[in-house]
Amino acid sequence: METTQDIQSRSQVIVRQGDTEVVLGGGAPVVIQAMTNTDTADITATTQQVQALAQAGAQMVRVTVDTAQAAAAVPYIRERLNMLSCSVPLIGDFHYNGHTLLNDFPDCAQALAKYRINPGNVGKGAKKDIQFAQIIEHACRYQKVVRIGVNWGSLDQTLLAQMMDANAQLATPKVPEQVLREALLVSALDSAQQAMDLGLSANQIVLSCKVSKVNDLVLLYQELAKRTPLALHLGLTEAGMGTDGIVASASALAILLRQGIGDTIRVSLTPRPDGDRTEEVKVAQSILQALELRFFTPTVTACPGCGRTTSTRFQTLAEQVKIYLEQQMPLWITQYPGVETMKVAVMGCIVNGPGESKHANIGISLPGSGEAPIAPVFIDGEKTDTLRGEDLVEQFTRIVERYVAQKYGVSHR
């Protein structure tokens, strides 16, 4: 299948933080990023959340830089992260006053690996170009990457009004939604060209055009990918809470990623009060793994259950096996290269149990209602064991442990 990525090769962008390099575009694997929701001026809280997001799998973390106190805190956050051996690149999120903060706090400008600016609120009237230029000048001076991020909630209203007026004069005007999407594209592309005219290279620019509707996001990025070779940051903004936000983000990102569009992604979920911010990282990982673009932990296949599986035994086993695999991964990933691609099946009855287990690297089929109380185990398509008893979890995980060592251990490669 020909994808947009085949038609238009992406520029490669390297985000550097000390000795750490994160590569975006140019055929590199899709990069996951996240954003803190702490007050950046709170050095301890922000450091802790950045570290948690990095440990969860975020390869870049964005922090809000909106006040003098936040800008002053950034170098100390960077220093503390370094002391914790957390080298994740930090992105500064600037709105309205980025030009002032970068100028007044040069240590902040240097400590950040990347700046995010919004053309819609970088300044108004004659000040817009001047203040935009000041931010780009700092990026050039310190050799930083810049994401030019347009958002339909903060689109340049002067630009939108001009384009709406021009559209109204056409013999066959476009619908307002089409004009809005075009305004987003124009804002992003014109700002990128302006940044390059000011000295920033194509290898220092990432573009994004974010909206909160799935279909609009897909149409926007399909067109954006055709018009520019610049690296693209992908995300559905203000996706929402819980299942709604996860489903909407997965729907939009999966369509575009499957077409080869998107070099770095963020899943923008509204957390519950005092909720775990790392959820957005885990969802991003799940999306990439479901599309087989990247792998992070072994995949557990399990059936949904039905009248043939009235016992909850297989559900408990599936949950415990998944937890076991996640707990083992920090150790396994260093000892067993490739183990993250392993597929494990935990099935509940004879209908699909043996067949699904044969398709996995290692699988177990528990007895359903009325079936003999035995659980056959399949390894690489062949039945190898038959388990019985109440300690199925322990028996099965011992088999998994042995298989991992034999399959992915260096001495067996």
Side-chain angles (χ1 to χ4, degrees):
M1 180 185 74
E2 185 179 54
T3 66
T4 305
Q5 199 80 8
D6 298 323
I7 299 170
Q8 183 92 265
S9 179
R10 300 290 113 196
S11 300
Q12 186 177 88
V13 175
I14 300 177
V15 180
R16 293 183 173 87
Q17 188 86 70
D19 295 331
T20 297
E21 292 186 349
V22 177
V23 182
L24 314 178
V30 178
V31 168
I32 294 174
Q33 62 179 272
M35 186 174 182
T36 59
N37 61 355
T38 55
D39 179 357
T40 307
D42 186 336
I43 296 171
T44 298
T46 303
T47 300
Q48 290 173 346
Q49 193 172 86
V50 170
Q51 184 185 31
L53 290 166
Q55 289 176 338
Q59 294 165 273
M60 298 189 292
V61 177
R62 183 157 45 114
V63 299
T64 298
V65 187
D66 58 342
T67 64
Q69 292 77 13
V74 167
Y76 295 101
I77 294 168
R78 179 71 269 163
E79 182 179 348
R80 289 198 186 183
L81 289 168
N82 292 343
M83 291 174 64
L84 294 167
S85 298
C86 180
S87 59
V88 65
L90 290 180
I91 305 166
D93 194 55
F94 295 101
H95 298 276
Y96 307 108
N97 59 353
H99 61 292
T100 299
L101 295 176
L102 288 170
N103 183 69
D104 292 349
F105 296 90
D107 288 346
C108 170
Q110 294 183 68
L112 295 168
K114 183 179 172 206
Y115 308 156
R116 187 268 175 149
I117 56 177
N118 185 339
N121 56 36
V122 75
K124 292 184 178 181
K127 292 183 178 180
K128 178 181 178 181
D129 289 346
I130 295 172
Q131 293 173 181
F132 180 87
Q134 289 173 339
I135 297 175
I136 300 303
E137 286 166 6
H138 282 89
C140 292
R141 180 180 306 140
Y142 299 117
Q143 288 297 295
K144 303 298 182 180
V145 172
V146 172
R147 171 159 73 94
I148 296 172
V150 182
N151 189 304
W152 73 344
S154 51
L155 179 62
D156 183 338
Q157 292 302 298
T158 300
L159 171 65
L160 180 59
Q162 291 172 346
M163 294 184 66
M164 286 291 187
D165 289 344
N167 179 67
Q169 304 304 314
L170 298 176
T172 308
K174 299 176 181 177
V175 297
E177 290 79 6
Q178 289 178 292
V179 181
L180 175 59
R181 289 198 299 269
E182 183 63 23
L184 288 162
L185 293 169
V186 169
S187 178
L189 294 169
D190 285 359
S191 297
Q193 185 58 57
Q194 185 180 357
M196 287 188 282
D197 291 342
L198 291 166
L200 213 60
S201 75
N203 301 103
Q204 291 174 270
I205 299 175
V206 180
L207 288 186
S208 67
C209 283
K210 289 192 173 184
V211 296
S212 57
K213 291 184 178 180
V214 172
N215 291 334
D216 282 314
L217 191 83
V218 170
L219 292 171
L220 260 172
Y221 273 87
Q222 287 174 335
E223 188 61 28
L224 184 61
K226 292 177 183 177
R227 296 194 195 184
T228 180
L230 294 173
L232 302 179
H233 169 76
L234 189 59
L236 188 74
T237 191
E238 291 96 36
M241 296 184 71
T243 303
D244 289 343
I246 292 171
V247 171
S249 294
S251 299
L253 270 59
I255 293 170
L256 292 166
L257 290 167
R258 184 66 184 87
Q259 295 174 2
I261 300 172
D263 304 295
T264 173
I265 65 171
R266 182 196 170 202
V267 175
S268 300
L269 299 178
T270 303
R272 300 180 187 88
D274 299 319
D276 187 353
R277 190 66 168 182
T278 63
E279 182 183 16
E280 65 178 53
V281 179
K282 296 170 184 175
V283 172
Q285 289 178 330
S286 295
I287 293 170
L288 294 177
Q289 182 146 330
L291 294 170
E292 299 188 345
L293 293 174
R294 291 184 61 189
F295 293 90
F296 303 94
T297 189
T299 300
V300 177
T301 300
C303 63
C306 66
R308 299 177 63 92
T309 57
T310 53
S311 167
T312 60
R313 199 173 187 186
F314 85 94
Q315 296 166 301
T316 301
L317 179 60
E319 181 180 40
Q320 291 177 330
V321 167
K322 185 172 178 63
I323 292 171
Y324 165 78
L325 294 172
E326 290 174 350
Q327 291 174 339
Q328 293 298 111
M329 277 306 292
L331 175 64
W332 281 358
I333 200 67
T334 61
Q335 293 185 343
Y336 304 120
V339 68
E340 66 276 9
T341 66
M342 181 173 68
K343 291 179 171 55
V344 180
V346 180
M347 303 299 292
C349 79
I350 199 171
V351 174
N352 292 315
E356 194 72 52
S357 296
K358 289 178 183 178
H359 288 304
N361 293 106
I362 180 168
I364 183 172
S365 179
L366 272 69
S369 302
E371 296 176 19
I374 59 173
V377 174
F378 299 82
I379 294 179
D380 292 330
E382 300 293 332
K383 181 180 175 183
T384 61
D385 299 271
T386 300
L387 307 185
R388 298 176 174 82
E390 297 300 317
D391 61 340
L392 287 181
V393 173
E394 291 77 9
Q395 292 182 59
F396 186 60
T397 53
R398 282 197 296 269
I399 294 173
V400 172
E401 184 80 38
R402 188 166 62 243
Y403 176 80
V404 168
Q406 293 173 348
K407 177 79 172 183
Y408 301 101
V410 176
S411 62
H412 297 279
R413 296 173 69 83

